[in-house]
Amino acid sequence: MGLGYLASILRSKGANVQIIDGWLGGLTSDEIVDSIARLPVPLWIGFSCYRSNMARAIEVMQLLGQRGLQTPTIAGGYGPTFHPDEFLNAGFDVVVLGEAEETVCELSEHFAFGKLDLSDISGISYKHDGKIVRSGRRPAVANLDAIPFPSRDTIRASLERRSAVHVLSSRGRPSLEVAALGVTLPAP
């Protein structure tokens, strides 16, 4: 659901977003990388990460690098929020801390147009000159009605597979999904 919310907010800003759900699709790490490699060159690639899928997310991120994809990688979710240093030391370029709807929009502007410096974006950790930098915490979204409903790109696959469909009754509940976003933005 987290990636569905991020896809919706980015799409509302004109971004082209592709969700690749490795868990639901039963994809191996190589198949996730193949799926990402078939996309138009993304502006950045985001990973929904938890402690339980940390090793696999790192493996996919490293495989992308081995294949020569120089696209920035962003880790978000429960695991990176509470263990950002581990994800940054593993090679992710940016870790999003907490809610990400506003943060991913600002990161997209940073990567696409250089309008914002990473130090101006709240709610992230990143490395600068080999040292980990933590920006200030971004306040939680006060008006949840301002956030578009989540995109349900994978709902058809979930129904065909007769898999459980996530119902989000609160924000911040961890999940076991392994998925990635590929994001591109239109020119300003």
Side-chain angles (χ1 to χ4, degrees):
M1 290 298 296
L3 291 180
Y5 275 109
L6 300 183
S8 284
I9 194 79
L10 287 163
R11 288 173 179 159
S12 77
K13 309 264 185 211
N16 177 21
V17 179
Q18 301 294 318
I19 298 175
I20 299 165
D21 191 326
W23 174 80
L24 183 60
L27 304 176
T28 66
S29 295
D30 283 321
E31 290 170 329
I32 294 170
V33 171
D34 290 342
S35 295
I36 293 169
R38 286 191 293 271
L39 298 173
V41 177
L43 180 62
W44 55 269
I45 300 168
F47 292 79
S48 177
C49 301
Y50 305 90
R51 294 294 288 181
S52 61
N53 73 348
M54 181 178 170
R56 184 141 184 240
I58 291 168
E59 178 185 25
V60 170
M61 181 264 307
Q62 291 173 341
L63 286 170
L64 288 166
Q66 290 170 9
R67 293 212 191 162
L69 190 62
Q70 300 300 311
T71 302
T73 54
I74 300 171
Y78 182 79
T81 293
F82 292 103
H83 306 280
D85 295 8
E86 291 180 49
F87 285 85
L88 291 169
N89 289 331
F92 284 95
D93 296 298
V94 176
V95 168
V96 175
L97 308 169
E99 293 184 340
E101 284 82 6
E102 294 175 30
T103 305
V104 295
C105 292
E106 291 179 2
L107 284 168
S108 294
E109 288 183 21
H110 165 76
F111 289 122
F113 313 120
K115 290 182 180 179
L116 293 170
D117 188 71
L118 285 177
S119 64
D120 296 325
I121 301 173
S122 296
I124 63 170
S125 289
Y126 59 95
K127 281 190 174 183
H128 180 73
D129 293 332
K131 295 184 180 176
I132 294 176
V133 176
R134 290 174 183 79
S135 68
R137 282 275 194 197
R138 182 175 297 276
V141 175
N143 180 9
L144 294 178
D145 290 333
I147 300 171
F149 286 110
S151 296
R152 295 294 205 136
D153 296 23
T154 58
I155 191 76
R156 181 177 305 277
S158 190
L159 293 172
E160 288 171 357
R161 187 175 168 189
R162 295 184 183 260
S163 179
V165 176
H166 292 256
V167 175
L168 191 63
S169 61
S170 66
R171 294 189 42 117
R173 178 159 165 49
S175 166
L176 298 177
E177 46 190 67
V178 177
L181 287 175
V183 179
T184 57
L185 286 180

